Amino acid sequence: MAEIASDKKWKYREEIKVLTLEHHVAVRRGGFDGFFEPLHKIGNFKTGLLDGTLSGIFCFAQQVLPLVEAMKSEDKFMLTRIVKDHSPIIASEKRTGNANPSREIRKARISMESVLSLWSNGADPILLDVLKAIEHEGLFTIPDVFAPVLSSTDRPEKEQESAHADAEDKKNSEIDAWHEALSVPFSQFERYAKYIFDKSPFGTHEGIKGQQFPRVMIILDDNEARGFMFSYEKLFKAKALTETDEKNRLEGRDMSLDRTRRLFYVTCSRAQYSLAIIAYMKEADKAASHVSDADWFSDQEVVRM
């Protein structure tokens, strides 16, 4: 694309918006599936996980992550500000009437340095270890959702199996999901946060309506999408319509082909300057012939790989 579009910025991922059909595709390609997938399996976690409001996310996203970023950029002013704004160490000193700014800040700094030492020499600590260090040092207030996670770190397997009540099973499932999610390197959470707060090169077809980007790469893979609402293989004539599709078409009903066509138009129109479409299809030759015959793309713009 850098050569075809005469645009060297295509060589750099951060300069490209990569659009996938579903979150799962972006999650796997973005490299934070170890954190995301366990939590996404819990029904009442999904919405909060996708918009960043899930209880427990704030602590890492608004306190720990900025602290780590400030450390890496050697921004001492920001390090101090984050601790002043969020650390209960300073707040507790004030409550007890022992306010001594120098002593408070020094005490908080020691705690902060202890936690940040987990990243020494380029290390990428496990999220659970970060959480334990924060609790041990009292640097930040631990969200209530993590209390059972920390207290049940060594919970025996037989205890998990002995929970019969639905409420207890649900609670244990949530704790287990957090255990699994927190067992990944901190860098996975960093990538998750960038994705959720729209700072990632990845996005979904439906999540970027109304936005535009200089360079857009669209990934089409019906198998990875895990759904039936859309079918790019049918749209590209690489897969035949089903009897139900034909019936809906004759009856004038809205069908997956119509939804896919509209979504494809919206997605392609997100590109301001240049567009690349990567389509994974079993019948690639059929798809290539169709897009050329339909005059969607010229023969020179279609590359079979």
Side-chain angles (χ1 to χ4, degrees):
M1 282 302 296
E3 182 179 342
I4 293 171
S6 299
D7 183 354
K8 293 182 180 179
K9 289 187 176 181
W10 269 100
K11 295 182 179 181
Y12 308 104
R13 174 171 289 187
E14 64 271 15
E15 298 289 347
I16 306 165
K17 193 66 175 182
V18 182
L19 304 180
T20 63
L21 188 56
E22 278 199 346
H23 289 288
H24 295 286
V25 185
V27 166
R28 185 174 66 80
R29 292 175 181 271
F32 53 94
D33 48 322
F35 175 78
F36 185 92
E37 295 291 0
L39 299 175
H40 193 262
K41 292 176 182 178
I42 306 298
N44 58 314
F45 280 6
K46 290 184 179 180
T47 300
L49 182 65
L50 291 171
D51 63 14
T53 61
L54 180 64
S55 181
I57 297 296
F58 177 88
C59 174
F60 283 110
Q62 303 300 325
Q63 297 174 359
V64 185
L65 182 55
L67 195 71
V68 174
E69 291 175 341
M71 174 198 68
K72 291 180 178 179
S73 62
E74 299 182 352
D75 189 338
K76 295 181 180 180
F77 173 78
M78 184 56 66
L79 286 170
T80 301
R81 180 177 178 179
I82 293 169
V83 171
K84 281 185 175 181
D85 288 347
H86 300 289
S87 180
I89 294 175
I90 295 176
S92 64
E93 292 287 335
K94 291 179 179 179
R95 282 198 304 271
T96 57
N98 298 321
N100 184 323
S102 297
R103 184 179 62 186
E104 295 165 9
I105 293 174
R106 184 168 58 253
K107 184 178 179 181
R109 183 182 294 116
I110 292 172
S111 296
M112 176 190 69
E113 290 175 350
S114 178
V115 171
L116 291 178
S117 68
L118 293 173
W119 282 267
S120 297
N121 301 316
D124 190 7
I126 301 301
L127 283 164
L128 187 57
D129 289 343
V130 175
L131 196 63
K132 289 178 180 178
I134 291 172
E135 181 188 44
H136 181 265
E137 297 295 333
L139 182 60
F140 299 128
T141 300
I142 299 296
D144 292 341
V145 67
F146 290 141
V149 178
L150 290 168
S151 65
S152 62
T153 300
D154 301 316
R155 183 158 55 98
E157 189 71 22
K158 62 180 181 180
E159 182 182 337
Q160 297 181 41
E161 297 174 353
S162 66
H164 300 294
D166 290 343
E168 191 65 23
D169 286 343
K170 179 181 178 182
K171 178 181 177 181
N172 287 339
S173 294
E174 293 178 356
I175 294 174
D176 291 340
W178 271 116
H179 264 297
E180 188 176 350
L182 294 174
S183 297
V184 303
F186 184 80
S187 58
Q188 284 210 26
F189 180 82
E190 287 184 282
R191 291 191 283 272
Y192 157 78
K194 288 181 179 178
Y195 177 72
I196 293 303
F197 299 116
D198 202 26
K199 296 179 180 179
S200 165
F202 291 92
T204 61
H205 292 196
E206 294 186 284
I208 45 76
K209 291 180 180 179
Q211 301 179 60
Q212 284 194 307
F213 311 91
R215 299 155 209 87
V216 172
M217 176 181 288
I218 302 173
I219 297 177
L220 309 180
D221 190 335
D222 290 349
N223 290 327
E224 279 192 329
R226 305 185 185 183
F228 57 88
M229 295 294 291
F230 305 98
S231 176
Y232 282 103
E233 290 197 86
K234 291 179 182 178
L235 181 65
F236 281 48
K237 304 295 184 183
K239 185 177 183 180
L241 297 179
T242 64
E243 291 184 7
T244 300
D245 290 330
E246 291 288 3
K247 180 180 179 181
N248 289 335
R249 183 178 65 82
L250 292 172
E251 294 177 356
R253 295 182 180 178
D254 193 49
M255 49 193 284
S256 64
L257 189 64
D258 299 317
R259 292 190 293 270
T260 307
R261 184 182 293 108
R262 292 193 296 267
L263 185 61
F264 187 55
Y265 170 78
V266 169
T267 308
C268 289
S269 61
R270 299 308 91 200
Q272 292 174 305
Y273 305 132
S274 52
L275 169 71
I277 300 170
I278 311 298
Y280 295 92
M281 298 187 179
K282 294 180 180 179
E283 300 290 343
D285 288 339
K286 290 183 179 179
S289 296
H290 173 69
V291 297
S292 293
D293 294 343
D295 202 27
W296 291 359
F297 306 97
S298 67
D299 289 336
Q300 292 74 24
E301 292 176 318
V302 180
V303 179
R304 297 170 177 80
M305 301 179 69

